[in-house]
Amino acid sequence: MRTLGVLLSLCIASTAWAGKPLVDAGHFADESQLFLQLGNTDSGYWLSVQAYAVGFVEKDRARIEVRQGGKQQFSYACQVGWDGGLAKVSCDGPQSGKLLKKAGPVEVDLIQESDADDKEYLLRTFKVNAKNWDGKREWQIDGDDLLGAAYFAPTHAQTGEYATLRFWVANGADFNAILRCTIDGKSVPDIDGTVESKNSLTADIIKGNSRTTWHWTQAAFYATRFKITSVGKDPESVYVAEHPGSWQCQLRKGGITVREFSFKTNAKGDAEPHPMQQGKGAPPLPPRVAMVDVKIPKDNGLDQRIKPDVIKKSRGFGLAWPQHDSVKVLLASLPPAYENANPPPPKKGPVKLVNGLEANPPKLVDESSTTVSVWRNGNGYFPRAKATIAGTTQAPSNMYRLEWKQGAKLLATLKCSWQQSDNRKQDWNTVECEDNNLSLTAKGAIEANLIYTDDQQGVDYLVRTYKVTVAKYPSKGDPVWQVVPDDVLATAWAHQGGESVKIRFWLGMDNTSVELRCTVDGKKLPDIKMSGHADDNNIEATVYDNKANATKYVWQQAGGGGTDVQVGMPPKDFKPSDGIVQYLGQYPGKWDCIVRQNGKQLREVLFTVNNKGSIDADPNQPGVYPSWVVPIELRFGKDILDGRVRPDAMKKSRGFGLPWPKPPTTKFPAASGLPDPK
């Protein structure tokens, strides 16, 4: 047995791995997915390499050999798996126990050990610069040469193949993005997607109380509606195969272009090979992976570092650029050198601000559901606003913001979130604006401009100017901040955009569960129940005296949850039920409804139901409104249960500073209730 072991050892030593590894066009690493980084220990640094490789079969192996200063330092074996038909090679340095301790150039050969023919193939040579960033133990390569190259590739999924753009950014990735493209000069709908980080290099430098972290991230743009070919046709998707030609694309983050891509596609939905792929020195790529032109806009607010001189020397991990005229054009477009660990937002040019009411279609707020309040944050507050805006689109690049101002001074700009609808024909969006990182202390009169940015048109629309009063309510203990929305009690709205009608108005009290007792042209109807407030449309402030006794200022919207009465005419085969109002269209005419709670008469609302079963707008409040909401007449009842009533505020505006189109005809009650906060 011992003799057999010796013979086997001699046989292996004499047949395998003699001479330099072969360079063969059938054995190579996928340039679009290569990754190398350094890891740190107290004694030095190790290397980690990841690659997807072509030319492997099941029993093949891989290793890396590391050189520094012209001498081989060590080699170690890599793990080989499979992913999408390519070999996934992972060379994880910490497990090898092999360390380097010097700064400077490092060369790493990634080698395939072929089991079938007992030959070695050189898949890739990495040439990197190992740098000690903090002079102690923060070792990392200098990744500035990685930004110059980008690739188009398909990504496989059960629902078909997605088109993917692979590239590097000098920062963290993982952000929502828009791909805005033209094909042969013709626009296609914006493609809503995400930029996801695949691998990342970091160099973390701590000096005293100062910390700087540099990032280089291998990223990819994905979008569920950016596909190669149609599988189960989706009219909202962009299929590359249906648009062969020259693509010019902007990758946009928050309305700012952070990359520009150019490439040509064919009728199969694949990108054509870039001209430089035919140049001398161009490495091969896997099938259906193609290089694309990438441009880095100057001052894009994303990249921490741009080193054009480094990019000109290498297109990633020390790989020289191919010899081709197209390379000269690409490199000539590089932006100037830049370095800032916290890149500031780019300066935008002047954007036209248009009154939303003057647009076509008008951009305006659903007044029946909007609200503005503030929430305490530390010793100050942050604003919150919510609104449904009509006249918008579902373009994924839409943006909204709230500008919080006092006089001519802009105190804060809040970004607003919104949910894109799958129904691309929907012409409205609900937005919510807040920023709990703010802690403002401005009291008194505040104007808050809600602005809708149509990124495709490059136009800002002013859709609403809220005018509120912010007070610091006198209270023992923690500060109490809140708006004082006395004018919201002034009017009522009929929301009839869903199946049931909602009669919405504000009450200065906690319990808003009420019912309507109505007559139509003098004829009494069965009582109509209304749900209480909904959608968090309530504003409150609880204050305490020296004895910890609580007093609550509160304004709540009633009727937010709706009624059981449906909008429109009853169907032809409709059979009415006794004691129930089921459709507005059952009772066209003039409605006069008392708002009741436990026998108390809180309000009175008056409106006209037309012969289509919908409510007409109050003729004393002419104006432009969303199609689903109209103002209706409101009067105060004989029982005033509101905690606070201020007629002067209601005479000036009809809710959050909304002006009356005509002087109000309502007879408001005398001032009463809780004192004015300061």
Side-chain angles (χ1 to χ4, degrees), residues 204-376:
D204 197 22
I205 307 163
I206 301 175
K207 293 184 178 180
N209 295 324
S210 175
R211 183 171 191 162
T212 301
T213 304
W214 301 109
H215 302 264
W216 298 269
T217 300
Q218 187 181 49
F221 173 79
Y222 293 102
T224 57
R225 286 191 162 99
F226 188 31
K227 298 182 178 181
I228 301 295
T229 57
S230 57
V231 177
K233 182 72 172 179
D234 174 13
E236 305 297 340
S237 292
V238 174
Y239 296 99
V240 180
E242 295 181 356
H243 301 282
S246 296
W247 290 60
Q248 303 286 333
C249 298
Q250 296 178 345
L251 183 71
R252 298 170 65 85
K253 177 180 182 286
I256 304 299
T257 300
V258 296
R259 288 294 186 274
E260 297 178 15
F261 301 102
S262 304
F263 51 94
K264 291 183 178 181
T265 63
N266 57 34
K268 294 181 179 180
D270 295 328
E272 298 284 2
H274 192 284
M276 78 172 72
Q277 291 177 236
Q278 311 303 318
K280 184 179 179 181
L285 288 170
R288 306 182 67 195
V289 177
M291 288 197 71
V292 302
D293 271 337
V294 58
K295 292 183 180 180
I296 306 171
K298 176 184 176 182
D299 299 330
N300 59 52
L302 174 63
D303 294 285
Q304 296 176 312
R305 305 162 57 95
I306 300 172
K307 307 295 182 183
D309 290 344
V310 177
I311 297 173
K312 290 175 181 178
K313 294 178 182 178
S314 161
R315 65 169 181 145
F317 301 116
L319 181 68
W321 288 94
Q323 298 177 24
H324 195 275
D325 289 342
S326 63
V327 174
K328 298 177 183 178
V329 176
L330 187 151
L331 297 180
S333 70
L334 290 172
Y338 176 83
E339 183 175 305
N340 189 333
N342 299 292
K347 295 180 180 179
K348 291 185 177 181
V351 178
K352 185 179 180 181
L353 184 63
V354 176
N355 186 329
L357 293 176
E358 298 174 358
N360 184 21
K363 326 294 182 189
L364 68 163
V365 161
D366 172 1
E367 297 293 339
S368 76
S369 59
T370 194
T371 184
V372 179
S373 61
V374 302
W375 283 55
R376 183 176 72 86

Side-chain angles (χ1 to χ4, degrees), residues 522-544:
K523 180 182 178 181
K524 186 177 182 300
L525 299 181
D527 288 353
I528 299 171
K529 292 185 177 181
M530 296 175 60
S531 68
H533 70 91
D535 304 324
D536 296 325
N537 279 5
N538 63 298
I539 300 170
E540 57 185 57
T542 302
V543 300
Y544 297 89

Side-chain angles (χ1 to χ4, degrees), residues 73-231:
Q73 302 297 317
F74 51 78
S75 68
Y76 54 82
C78 308
Q79 294 182 339
V80 179
W82 296 93
D83 186 2
L86 298 180
K88 184 178 181 180
V89 182
S90 299
C91 314
D92 199 3
Q95 298 177 2
S96 72
K98 308 291 187 180
L99 298 176
L100 293 175
K101 300 182 179 182
K102 295 181 180 180
V106 177
E107 292 189 0
V108 180
D109 286 342
L110 177 61
I111 298 170
Q112 174 188 355
E113 299 173 357
S114 174
D115 185 76
D117 57 12
D118 287 335
K119 294 180 180 179
E120 293 184 334
Y121 296 94
L122 179 61
L123 302 176
R124 175 62 145 90
T125 295
F126 299 84
K127 296 180 181 180
V128 297
N129 181 43
K131 184 175 178 180
N132 191 326
W133 291 79
D134 64 354
K136 298 177 181 178
R137 55 163 292 171
E138 187 62 19
W139 292 93
Q140 189 53 271
I141 68 169
D142 184 337
D144 294 324
D145 68 337
L146 297 167
L147 302 188
Y151 303 85
F152 178 100
T155 297
H156 302 279
Q158 291 182 347
T159 56
E161 289 184 320
Y162 296 117
T164 306
L165 290 165
R166 299 171 181 168
F167 57 101
W168 284 78
V169 297
N171 208 325
D174 297 312
F175 53 83
N176 294 328
I178 301 299
L179 194 66
R180 177 170 296 170
C181 300
T182 62
I183 301 101
D184 294 332
K186 183 178 180 181
S187 298
V188 294
D190 282 356
I191 301 167
D192 183 16
T194 58
V195 172
E196 300 178 9
S197 61
K198 311 309 293 181
N199 290 292
S200 186
L201 303 166
T202 59
D204 197 22
I205 307 163
I206 301 175
K207 293 184 178 180
N209 295 324
S210 175
R211 183 171 191 162
T212 301
T213 304
W214 301 109
H215 302 264
W216 298 269
T217 300
Q218 187 181 49
F221 173 79
Y222 293 102
T224 57
R225 286 191 162 99
F226 188 31
K227 298 182 178 181
I228 301 295
T229 57
S230 57
V231 177

